[in-house]
Each structure stands twice: as structure tokens, then as C-alpha cells.
Amino acid sequence: MKINYPAGITPGRPGEPDKAAKHLLSTKNAANRGMDFEADINASCLYYKENDVALITKRPTPINVVKVDYSHGAKITHAYFEKQSTTDYNGVYRGRYLDFEAKETRSRTSFPLSNIAPQQVEHLENVKKHGGFAFFLIHLTVLDETYLLKADYVCDFYRRKPRKSIPFGEISENGFRVKEGYSPRYDFLEAFDRAFK
């Protein structure tokens, strides 16, 4: 008996994704990696909040709305960024102020410093100067690994610029591997505890 699949797609061999699944996987991997990483961090922050572990929130990007179209509900039609944003996340954990930037790289060998804005370095240096805990979460897509790197290390590397990127070997040597799981997706507070004993 022949089965007619939609759009003429037939499944692959058992245990192998079919053409439609391969397409969905390639679309997800190519276009949505950064958004997936951010969504997973947001889910981890929600987990921490719901379990009364910490209060960490995503900092909104400040925009100035110029024009709104109310003909079909309220739709922003013209806006601009008020100022350059600082970091992605901040919050409180065990009475300590945390501030961090989440980055992802698809590079096969290193994390490009061009992914970091000068105001982010300045902001994290100021957080540390005033007694807060500053760090980066860096997801290495090729290795499917995530590391917590103290802002001291990244900012110093950024200022000295011995290279245009931080090699993966140095990230794993100087960083703290973030455990991945179901809930929380990225347990970066466990890595934080190891990093800031």
C-alpha cells in the first residue's frame, strides 16, 4: 500500500530525519540560533524566579516611538533607538547584584571581539567598580557549549586586543562551563557560584 505524503515528501529510513524535518532543523540552525539562545536564557531566568532562586530580567532596548498607526490596533510605524544599550540582563541573586551580556558565535575557532560593543565593556567595568558581579555568557554554537566568563577577563582581553578574537581554548581554560538541562535550560547560576566563590 502506497502512502501519499503532503507535498510529495517521503520519510527517510528509520532513525533518520525525513526531508521536511531536515529542512526545519536547517532553518532553525541557520536563522534562529541567537534567538533560541536568548529564549533559553529567558526561560532559565523564569525558572529561577518561579523557584525563588533569583530575580534576573532581560533589560529592554530603549526606543523612542515617533509614529503609531492606530487604524488596526496600535502598530509602531516609526521609531529609533534612544541610546546605545548596555548589557542584556541584570538582577539579584543571594543579595548580590548581577549584570551580564549573553553572546553567541558561529565561528569554528574563536569568539570575535567585534561582537562586543565598547559601551558594554565600559558598563561591566563600572558594575564591578561599584561592587556588582559582571560576566559574559558565551555560547559556542559549533561545539554546542556555553561558558560563563568573568567580565574582568573579557574586558581586559578587549582592551589589550592581543588578537581580534578569543580562541575557544582560552574560553574553556578561563571560563566556567554552564550545565545544560531541561529546567533550567542553562544553569548559569551554578557556574556563577563556581566562578565567584
Side-chain angles (χ1 to χ4, degrees):
M1 177 175 174
K2 184 177 178 183
I3 300 173
N4 292 319
Y5 291 91
I9 296 172
T10 57
R13 292 183 208 140
E16 210 179 84
D18 61 28
K19 287 180 184 177
K22 284 180 184 175
H23 174 72
L24 286 173
L25 288 171
S26 68
T27 304
K28 179 182 178 201
N29 290 340
N32 302 324
R33 285 183 190 132
M35 295 307 288
D36 288 344
F37 181 52
E38 184 178 293
D40 287 341
I41 293 173
N42 292 345
S44 298
C45 292
L46 182 60
Y47 170 87
Y48 291 141
K49 179 182 176 185
E50 288 176 346
N51 288 277
D52 203 25
V53 175
L55 178 61
I56 300 167
T57 56
K58 174 135 178 54
R59 183 180 276 126
T61 304
I63 62 165
N64 190 356
V65 177
V66 177
K67 192 173 181 182
V68 178
D69 177 8
Y70 291 102
S71 61
H72 301 291
K75 179 181 177 185
I76 298 171
T77 56
H78 184 75
Y80 62 89
F81 295 111
E82 280 183 15
K83 58 182 179 178
Q84 294 175 319
S85 63
T86 52
T87 53
D88 290 331
Y89 297 89
N90 66 340
V92 180
Y93 170 57
R94 294 184 178 168
R96 299 182 281 184
Y97 175 76
L98 312 178
D99 204 305
F100 65 96
E101 178 66 18
K103 297 288 186 186
E104 184 171 24
T105 181
R106 295 178 189 131
S107 166
R108 298 190 170 276
T109 57
S110 59
F111 173 74
L113 293 177
S114 60
N115 286 1
I116 302 171
Q119 72 271 11
Q120 292 172 332
V121 170
E122 186 178 335
H123 175 77
L124 290 171
E125 288 173 337
N126 280 328
V127 166
K128 184 169 182 326
K129 182 172 86 173
H130 291 283
F133 293 85
F135 57 93
F136 284 83
L137 286 182
I138 298 178
H139 183 68
L140 311 175
T141 304
V142 172
L143 301 176
D144 196 25
E145 295 176 357
T146 303
Y147 289 88
L148 182 150
L149 280 163
K150 291 182 178 182
D152 287 351
Y153 173 78
V154 177
C155 294
D156 179 60
F157 200 101
Y158 183 90
R159 297 254 186 235
R160 289 186 301 110
K161 282 195 173 63
R163 307 173 36 128
K164 292 183 178 182
S165 60
I166 305 174
F168 285 172
E170 289 197 33
I171 290 173
S172 63
E173 185 179 317
N174 294 287
F176 297 83
R177 180 90 181 263
V178 175
K179 293 179 181 176
E180 296 181 35
Y182 175 69
S183 225
R185 176 69 181 95
Y186 291 106
D187 193 1
F188 60 86
L189 290 182
E190 185 275 336
F192 174 89
D193 287 338
R194 285 184 283 125
F196 298 96
K197 292 178 187 176

